[in-house]
Amino acid sequence: MTHMSRRTVLTSALATAAAGTTLVTGVGVTAAHAAGEDDFYNSNTDLYTQLAGQEGTDFGRRYKRHQMLDSDSSGKSPFHRTTIMALHGGGIEIGTSELCLGIAGYDPKDLSVWTPDGGHVHDYWMFEGLLSTGNSKLHVTSKNCDDHVARSMAASSLNVLSLHGCKEEQAGATMSVVVGGLNADFKTYLHDELRAAGFNTIDGSTKPDLAGVNTTNPCNLTMLGKGGQLEITTDLRQSLFGDYSSRPARARTATSDADFVRFTGACRRAIARLEAQADQQIL
């Protein structure tokens, strides 16, 4: 039997659907590897091209860039400090969309400002799988993310914290967070704050597929050329919600769950420590 790649199978299926035959989604799909070798799409642009007209049904994008204004040429132009990202949100790496919003300072259920620590809100960007099943096919590995809004937001921010989900066997532990990215200080603060909040952390340098060190990964496409990434195991993500069963249920129960509050609060404290550093004032 002639071997066909997953990408070839999908392309054929899409062509069939375009011809008027129903496309059954999610059949025979396995989870995409962190390294991206099983991705259907070469990039976000490739995905947007092949799934033209399906945004809002099969996938979605949400982001918020807070307005800045500088009308005085004699002063220093303002800049965005930190952007929170979930490149594989919705049904792809479940729970990361809600965590992205929570860390950014927004309640996932209604997008109202939610900052129990009294801190400020952050910019955010996310790509979400919206299929009822088979969302793993929408995974585009981070180093191949070329969404123009995501890249522009990263490039105009001093820091990015990118949130991902991984399996326990990938992390080599249960109920854990793999801390990666190229910003060594940010990694230290994330380790410190998450551990102080009672979460087990693993150094990304011991998990190459989860390390977040590729220079084209949006977490490292910042103004400083470095950022942070969290790979959160499935069992830990499940524990952070009062009800993990569906997107509405996760959004509804997120901020009332003590573990969600502890996790997002720890990440926000790490961001605050990073933003207080001297190199955050240079631009």
Side-chain angles (χ1 to χ4, degrees), residues 2-123:
T2 303
H3 174 73
M4 297 180 68
S5 69
R6 295 173 64 195
R7 180 177 172 82
T8 300
V9 170
L10 179 64
T11 301
S12 175
L14 288 170
T16 300
T21 302
T22 301
L23 174 61
V24 179
T25 59
V27 178
V29 176
T30 57
H33 294 172
E37 62 266 25
D38 284 346
D39 285 355
F40 279 123
Y41 304 102
N42 296 324
S43 65
N44 284 66
T45 297
D46 183 27
L47 184 150
Y48 302 153
T49 300
Q50 293 204 48
L51 298 184
Q54 298 181 55
E55 184 165 7
T57 56
D58 289 10
F59 70 92
R61 289 175 281 183
R62 287 192 283 171
Y63 66 90
K64 185 176 182 68
R65 172 173 278 171
H66 296 86
Q67 183 178 12
M68 286 186 173
L69 174 66
D70 184 6
S71 57
D72 183 359
S73 61
S74 65
K76 184 169 66 173
S77 177
F79 53 87
H80 297 271
R81 292 193 179 275
T82 302
T83 296
I84 316 301
M85 292 188 164
L87 274 61
H88 309 131
I92 306 173
E93 293 169 355
I94 298 173
T96 57
S97 291
E98 294 79 14
L99 288 166
C100 175
L101 290 168
I103 295 170
Y106 291 92
D107 191 324
K109 69 175 175 289
D110 57 13
L111 300 185
S112 60
V113 173
W114 178 73
T115 54
D117 56 8
H120 58 269
V121 294
H122 303 290
D123 294 355

Side-chain angles (χ1 to χ4, degrees), residues 67-239:
Q67 183 178 12
M68 286 186 173
L69 174 66
D70 184 6
S71 57
D72 183 359
S73 61
S74 65
K76 184 169 66 173
S77 177
F79 53 87
H80 297 271
R81 292 193 179 275
T82 302
T83 296
I84 316 301
M85 292 188 164
L87 274 61
H88 309 131
I92 306 173
E93 293 169 355
I94 298 173
T96 57
S97 291
E98 294 79 14
L99 288 166
C100 175
L101 290 168
I103 295 170
Y106 291 92
D107 191 324
K109 69 175 175 289
D110 57 13
L111 300 185
S112 60
V113 173
W114 178 73
T115 54
D117 56 8
H120 58 269
V121 294
H122 303 290
D123 294 355
Y124 63 82
W125 182 94
M126 65 185 76
F127 174 90
E128 298 179 287
L130 303 179
L131 296 168
S132 58
T133 60
N135 281 283
S136 63
K137 71 175 65 162
L138 300 172
H139 180 280
V140 175
T141 194
S142 299
K143 66 182 180 181
N144 295 332
C145 176
D146 62 352
D147 182 279
H148 69 286
V149 176
R151 282 179 168 256
S152 68
M153 291 181 71
S156 60
S157 301
L158 284 175
N159 317 302
V160 164
L161 177 60
S162 187
L163 304 168
H164 295 266
C166 66
K167 296 180 179 179
E168 292 83 342
E169 55 265 34
Q170 291 175 303
T174 59
M175 300 291 286
S176 297
V177 187
V178 180
V179 181
L182 288 176
N183 191 322
D185 288 338
F186 199 6
K187 286 179 61 178
T188 295
Y189 301 152
L190 288 164
H191 278 296
D192 289 348
E193 297 298 338
L194 286 166
R195 287 174 178 172
F199 298 101
N200 183 55
T201 66
I202 299 169
D203 189 345
S205 65
T206 67
K207 305 292 177 183
D209 286 347
L210 306 177
V213 294
N214 195 291
T215 55
T216 64
N217 184 324
C219 80
N220 297 318
L221 292 177
T222 66
M223 297 171 76
L224 299 176
K226 56 187 179 180
Q229 176 175 290
L230 298 180
E231 291 271 2
I232 311 163
T233 59
T234 302
D235 57 352
L236 178 53
R237 281 178 282 128
Q238 290 173 338
S239 75

